[in-house]
Amino acid sequence: MSIGCNDEPGMCLSLTDLFARIGDKWTLKVVDALVHRPIRYNEIHQAVAGISQRMLTRTLKGLEQDGLINRTMYLTIPPRVEYELTELGQQLIVALQSLYDWALVHQQAMSAARANVARTAQDEKLPPGHD
Amino acid sequence: MSIGCNDEPGMCLSLTDLFARIGDKWTLKVVDALVHRPIRYNEIHQAVAGISQRMLTRTLKGLEQDGLINRTMYLTIPPRVEYELTELGQQLIVALQSLYDWALVHQQAMSAARANVARTAQDEKLPPGHD
DNA sequence: CTGTATCCGTGCTGATACTG
DNA sequence: CAGTATCAGCACGGATACAG
């Protein structure tokens, strides 16, 4: 059982590198916006709350570079650009599912642990034996 | 098929939040160092190439807060502190496995796509039709 | 509509020095 | 050995203005 992030150089590039690529602030959300069907630039912009044009364009470019999405441009007036997941992109979604499932089940445990630590830290700050 | 990052607020917190927690520069590598057995601070420091004391301590604290690892301190001289994965942490490793498998299979495709794009970009910069 | 270009603040990170 | 404290650099991301 290992995820091989400190083994040989070749192994390290896999998970760590994948996270470096899709683990940023927006990529996952943008990908999620494309899950169901091809979708236009502005639609993504609306679907992904809070993203700026700059970041949306950057994220889409990155995903396109990695072969996870396709960009299709229609030279109409006004112009129209659609983005869709490639086969590779769809398979990534599938691979992410198990992690998603884990997160659904265990995020509560993580939050609880975090809250517990926070509470303990609070206690430490109280004057000892002030009863 | 969805990873629910733009759905209701409750869903969005799962995968995105998980990535926010373990998707940073070091967490995965530190976790990987703990996979096999309890391990001491300095051992991790050596196992995870390039990490600074500051980042190692921070990362360990974060993992401990999330309930993914346990810290055990032995008040010997010199002091000795061991870190180990909790049940939760070990289950996370399992969940990461499928993503790891995917990465192993497809990172080549992603790299290829990236290289292809880079080459295309090069072509665009060349003077057209100069034989 | 679909981007690009620029500026700028913030936060992450590494380096270094210090402590129990 | 196992951290903590402080500072400085830089990359990331946001806001805004502009372009095809």
Side-chain angles (χ1 to χ4, degrees), chain B residues 25-26 52-55 58 79:
Chain B
K25 190 173 178 182
W26 297 110
S52 63
Q53 277 191 330
R54 175 186 150 85
M55 279 304 112
R58 254 166 134 14

Short mmCIF file of all heavy atoms in Angstrom, two decimals, chain B residues 25-26 52-55 58 79, chain C residues 12-18 20:
data_model
loop_
_atom_site.label_atom_id
_atom_site.label_comp_id
_atom_site.label_asym_id
_atom_site.label_seq_id
_atom_site.Cartn_x
_atom_site.Cartn_y
_atom_site.Cartn_z
N LYS B 25 1.66 21.46 -1.52
CA LYS B 25 2.94 21.02 -2.08
C LYS B 25 3.53 19.80 -1.37
O LYS B 25 4.23 19.00 -1.97
CB LYS B 25 3.94 22.19 -2.01
CG LYS B 25 5.23 21.93 -2.76
CD LYS B 25 6.09 23.19 -2.79
CE LYS B 25 7.40 22.93 -3.50
NZ LYS B 25 8.27 24.13 -3.51
N TRP B 26 3.26 19.65 -0.08
CA TRP B 26 4.00 18.65 0.69
C TRP B 26 3.18 17.53 1.29
O TRP B 26 3.70 16.43 1.55
CB TRP B 26 4.77 19.35 1.83
CG TRP B 26 5.79 20.30 1.34
CD1 TRP B 26 5.75 21.66 1.44
CD2 TRP B 26 7.02 20.00 0.66
NE1 TRP B 26 6.86 22.22 0.87
CE2 TRP B 26 7.66 21.21 0.39
CE3 TRP B 26 7.62 18.81 0.26
CZ2 TRP B 26 8.89 21.28 -0.27
CZ3 TRP B 26 8.84 18.88 -0.39
CH2 TRP B 26 9.46 20.10 -0.66
N SER B 52 11.50 21.86 4.15
CA SER B 52 12.14 22.59 5.24
C SER B 52 11.51 22.19 6.56
O SER B 52 10.41 21.64 6.60
CB SER B 52 11.99 24.09 5.03
OG SER B 52 10.63 24.45 5.06
N GLN B 53 12.19 22.47 7.65
CA GLN B 53 11.64 22.17 8.97
C GLN B 53 10.29 22.85 9.15
O GLN B 53 9.33 22.25 9.64
CB GLN B 53 12.60 22.65 10.05
CG GLN B 53 13.72 21.69 10.33
CD GLN B 53 14.48 22.08 11.59
OE1 GLN B 53 14.56 23.25 11.94
NE2 GLN B 53 15.03 21.10 12.27
N ARG B 54 10.27 24.09 8.78
CA ARG B 54 9.03 24.86 8.91
C ARG B 54 7.86 24.19 8.22
O ARG B 54 6.79 23.98 8.81
CB ARG B 54 9.25 26.24 8.31
CG ARG B 54 8.03 27.11 8.27
CD ARG B 54 8.34 28.40 7.53
NE ARG B 54 7.19 28.93 6.85
CZ ARG B 54 6.29 29.71 7.44
NH1 ARG B 54 6.43 30.03 8.68
NH2 ARG B 54 5.26 30.15 6.78
N MET B 55 8.05 23.80 6.98
CA MET B 55 6.98 23.20 6.20
C MET B 55 6.64 21.82 6.72
O MET B 55 5.48 21.41 6.72
CB MET B 55 7.38 23.12 4.72
CG MET B 55 7.19 24.42 3.99
SD MET B 55 5.49 25.02 4.13
CE MET B 55 5.70 26.47 5.11
N ARG B 58 4.58 22.32 9.89
CA ARG B 58 3.26 22.81 9.50
C ARG B 58 2.40 21.69 8.91
O ARG B 58 1.23 21.54 9.28
CB ARG B 58 3.45 23.85 8.40
CG ARG B 58 3.23 25.30 8.79
CD ARG B 58 3.77 26.16 7.70
NE ARG B 58 3.03 27.27 7.18
CZ ARG B 58 1.98 27.88 7.64
NH1 ARG B 58 1.40 27.46 8.70
NH2 ARG B 58 1.46 28.91 7.04
N PRO B 79 14.83 13.89 23.07
CA PRO B 79 13.40 13.64 22.84
C PRO B 79 13.17 12.86 21.55
O PRO B 79 14.01 12.89 20.65
CB PRO B 79 12.82 15.04 22.73
CG PRO B 79 13.97 15.95 22.46
CD PRO B 79 15.14 15.31 23.11
P DC C 12 -1.85 30.55 2.88
OP1 DC C 12 -3.13 29.86 2.88
OP2 DC C 12 -1.26 31.06 4.14
"O5'" DC C 12 -0.78 29.60 2.17
"C5'" DC C 12 -0.86 29.39 0.76
"C4'" DC C 12 0.54 29.30 0.18
"O4'" DC C 12 1.20 30.59 0.30
"C3'" DC C 12 1.43 28.28 0.89
"O3'" DC C 12 1.92 27.36 -0.06
"C2'" DC C 12 2.54 29.13 1.53
"C1'" DC C 12 2.55 30.37 0.66
N1 DC C 12 3.05 31.62 1.31
C2 DC C 12 4.20 32.26 0.81
O2 DC C 12 4.78 31.76 -0.16
N3 DC C 12 4.62 33.39 1.40
C4 DC C 12 3.96 33.90 2.43
N4 DC C 12 4.41 35.04 2.99
C5 DC C 12 2.80 33.26 2.98
C6 DC C 12 2.38 32.12 2.39
P DT C 13 2.64 26.03 0.40
OP1 DT C 13 2.43 25.07 -0.69
OP2 DT C 13 2.21 25.71 1.78
"O5'" DT C 13 4.17 26.44 0.42
"C5'" DT C 13 4.75 27.08 -0.74
"C4'" DT C 13 6.12 27.61 -0.43
"O4'" DT C 13 6.03 28.86 0.27
"C3'" DT C 13 6.99 26.71 0.47
"O3'" DT C 13 7.95 26.05 -0.34
"C2'" DT C 13 7.62 27.66 1.49
"C1'" DT C 13 7.23 29.04 0.98
N1 DT C 13 6.96 30.06 2.02
C2 DT C 13 7.74 31.20 2.07
O2 DT C 13 8.67 31.41 1.31
N3 DT C 13 7.40 32.08 3.07
C4 DT C 13 6.38 31.95 3.99
O4 DT C 13 6.16 32.80 4.84
C5 DT C 13 5.61 30.73 3.88
C7 DT C 13 4.48 30.47 4.84
C6 DT C 13 5.92 29.86 2.91
P DG C 14 9.07 25.11 0.33
OP1 DG C 14 9.44 24.13 -0.71
OP2 DG C 14 8.59 24.64 1.64
"O5'" DG C 14 10.31 26.08 0.56
"C5'" DG C 14 10.76 26.89 -0.53
"C4'" DG C 14 11.96 27.72 -0.10
"O4'" DG C 14 11.53 28.78 0.77
"C3'" DG C 14 13.04 26.94 0.66
"O3'" DG C 14 14.33 27.38 0.22
"C2'" DG C 14 12.77 27.31 2.11
"C1'" DG C 14 12.23 28.74 2.00
N9 DG C 14 11.28 29.12 3.04
C8 DG C 14 10.27 28.35 3.56
N7 DG C 14 9.56 28.97 4.48
C5 DG C 14 10.16 30.22 4.57
C6 DG C 14 9.85 31.32 5.41
O6 DG C 14 8.94 31.42 6.24
N1 DG C 14 10.70 32.41 5.20
C2 DG C 14 11.74 32.42 4.28
N2 DG C 14 12.45 33.53 4.21
N3 DG C 14 12.04 31.39 3.49
C4 DG C 14 11.22 30.33 3.70
P DA C 15 15.65 26.77 0.84
OP1 DA C 15 16.57 26.59 -0.28
OP2 DA C 15 15.29 25.62 1.70
"O5'" DA C 15 16.21 27.94 1.77
"C5'" DA C 15 16.20 29.28 1.29
"C4'" DA C 15 16.83 30.20 2.33
"O4'" DA C 15 15.82 30.63 3.26
"C3'" DA C 15 17.95 29.56 3.17
"O3'" DA C 15 19.03 30.48 3.28
"C2'" DA C 15 17.28 29.27 4.50
"C1'" DA C 15 16.21 30.35 4.59
N9 DA C 15 15.02 29.93 5.32
C8 DA C 15 14.37 28.74 5.22
N7 DA C 15 13.31 28.64 5.99
C5 DA C 15 13.26 29.87 6.64
C6 DA C 15 12.38 30.40 7.58
N6 DA C 15 11.31 29.73 8.06
N1 DA C 15 12.61 31.66 8.03
C2 DA C 15 13.67 32.32 7.54
N3 DA C 15 14.57 31.92 6.66
C4 DA C 15 14.31 30.67 6.23
P DT C 16 20.37 30.02 4.02
OP1 DT C 16 21.48 30.69 3.31
OP2 DT C 16 20.37 28.56 4.18
"O5'" DT C 16 20.25 30.66 5.47
"C5'" DT C 16 19.75 32.00 5.61
"C4'" DT C 16 19.40 32.28 7.05
"O4'" DT C 16 18.10 31.74 7.35
"C3'" DT C 16 20.37 31.63 8.06
"O3'" DT C 16 21.08 32.67 8.73
"C2'" DT C 16 19.47 30.85 9.01
"C1'" DT C 16 18.09 31.42 8.71
N1 DT C 16 16.97 30.46 8.94
C2 DT C 16 15.95 30.83 9.76
O2 DT C 16 15.90 31.91 10.32
N3 DT C 16 14.96 29.88 9.92
C4 DT C 16 14.92 28.63 9.33
O4 DT C 16 13.98 27.87 9.54
C5 DT C 16 16.03 28.31 8.49
C7 DT C 16 16.08 26.98 7.80
C6 DT C 16 16.99 29.23 8.33
P DA C 17 22.23 32.26 9.83
OP1 DA C 17 23.32 33.24 9.71
OP2 DA C 17 22.52 30.82 9.73
"O5'" DA C 17 21.47 32.52 11.21
"C5'" DA C 17 20.67 33.70 11.36
"C4'" DA C 17 19.82 33.58 12.62
"O4'" DA C 17 18.72 32.67 12.37
"C3'" DA C 17 20.58 33.03 13.84
"O3'" DA C 17 20.36 33.87 14.97
"C2'" DA C 17 19.99 31.64 14.04
"C1'" DA C 17 18.58 31.81 13.48
N9 DA C 17 17.98 30.56 13.03
C8 DA C 17 18.52 29.65 12.16
N7 DA C 17 17.76 28.61 11.96
C5 DA C 17 16.64 28.85 12.74
C6 DA C 17 15.46 28.12 12.96
N6 DA C 17 15.20 26.94 12.39
N1 DA C 17 14.55 28.65 13.81
C2 DA C 17 14.81 29.82 14.38
N3 DA C 17 15.87 30.59 14.25
C4 DA C 17 16.77 30.05 13.40
P DC C 18 21.11 33.55 16.38
OP1 DC C 18 21.48 34.85 16.96
OP2 DC C 18 22.14 32.51 16.15
"O5'" DC C 18 19.95 32.91 17.27
"C5'" DC C 18 18.73 33.64 17.45
"C4'" DC C 18 17.67 32.74 18.08
"O4'" DC C 18 17.33 31.69 17.17
"C3'" DC C 18 18.11 32.07 19.39
"O3'" DC C 18 17.17 32.36 20.42
"C2'" DC C 18 18.12 30.58 19.05
"C1'" DC C 18 17.12 30.50 17.92
N1 DC C 18 17.35 29.34 17.01
C2 DC C 18 16.39 28.32 16.97
O2 DC C 18 15.38 28.41 17.69
N3 DC C 18 16.60 27.25 16.14
C4 DC C 18 17.69 27.20 15.39
N4 DC C 18 17.85 26.15 14.60
C5 DC C 18 18.68 28.23 15.42
C6 DC C 18 18.47 29.27 16.24
P DG C 20 13.90 28.27 26.10
OP1 DG C 20 12.96 29.22 26.71
OP2 DG C 20 15.34 28.30 26.45
"O5'" DG C 20 13.35 26.79 26.33
"C5'" DG C 20 12.15 26.36 25.72
"C4'" DG C 20 12.06 24.84 25.80
"O4'" DG C 20 12.82 24.27 24.71
"C3'" DG C 20 12.64 24.26 27.09
"O3'" DG C 20 11.84 23.14 27.49
"C2'" DG C 20 14.02 23.78 26.67
"C1'" DG C 20 13.76 23.34 25.24
N9 DG C 20 14.94 23.37 24.36
C8 DG C 20 15.89 24.35 24.25
N7 DG C 20 16.80 24.08 23.35
C5 DG C 20 16.42 22.85 22.83
C6 DG C 20 17.02 22.06 21.82
O6 DG C 20 18.03 22.29 21.16
N1 DG C 20 16.31 20.89 21.60
C2 DG C 20 15.17 20.53 22.28
N2 DG C 20 14.63 19.37 21.94
N3 DG C 20 14.60 21.27 23.22
C4 DG C 20 15.28 22.41 23.44
#
